[in-house]
Amino acid sequence: MNRNYSTIAQRSSSVLATNNVLRNTYMLLSLTLLFSGLTAGLSMFLNMPPMTYLISVISGMVIAMFVLPRFAHSTAGIGIVFLITGLLGFGLGPMLTMYASLPNGGNIITLSLGGTG
């Protein structure tokens, strides 16, 4: 009887730990998506030129390939992930500005945001 109780307690503890990891992962994913949206809005507000997309995406990919692996197992890695998603969002600003100028462009952007969210 005692052995069964300890097995159940271990499984319950393992399930709770898994749930915490999943909750934290999805929370960070949501925060990075929100941050990317904010930087895209900032880029639209500043009316950045189209070349911003290319510069931001290349910068984000270089950071992801060469800087992020060095900090993958530290808390600084979270900041670097936010930097990368911020750059990618900032690069989307000129593209979103172009879509917003189209007829029904606001609906296109809203639909894609809802689908992504």
Side-chain angles (χ1 to χ4, degrees), residues 61-74:
M61 290 300 119
V62 167
I63 292 170
M65 289 189 308
F66 297 111
V67 178
L68 184 60
R70 294 181 183 185
F71 296 97
H73 300 291
S74 70

Side-chain angles (χ1 to χ4, degrees), residues 8-93:
I8 292 171
Q10 288 173 347
R11 286 184 187 162
S12 176
S13 159
S14 174
V15 168
L16 287 176
T18 301
N19 287 343
N20 284 338
V21 168
L22 285 173
R23 186 186 72 231
N24 291 340
T25 299
Y26 282 111
M27 182 188 66
L28 283 172
L29 180 64
S30 298
L31 289 174
T32 57
L33 181 62
L34 179 65
F35 185 66
S36 182
L38 289 173
T39 57
L42 176 66
S43 179
M44 288 177 71
F45 177 75
L46 296 174
N47 200 19
M48 298 304 292
M51 191 62 153
T52 303
Y53 174 76
L54 188 61
I55 294 169
S56 293
V57 169
I58 289 173
S59 300
M61 290 300 119
V62 167
I63 292 170
M65 289 189 308
F66 297 111
V67 178
L68 184 60
R70 294 181 183 185
F71 296 97
H73 300 291
S74 70
T75 55
I78 294 173
I80 293 171
V81 168
F82 273 90
L83 174 65
I84 294 167
T85 57
L87 281 169
L88 295 176
F90 195 78
L92 281 177

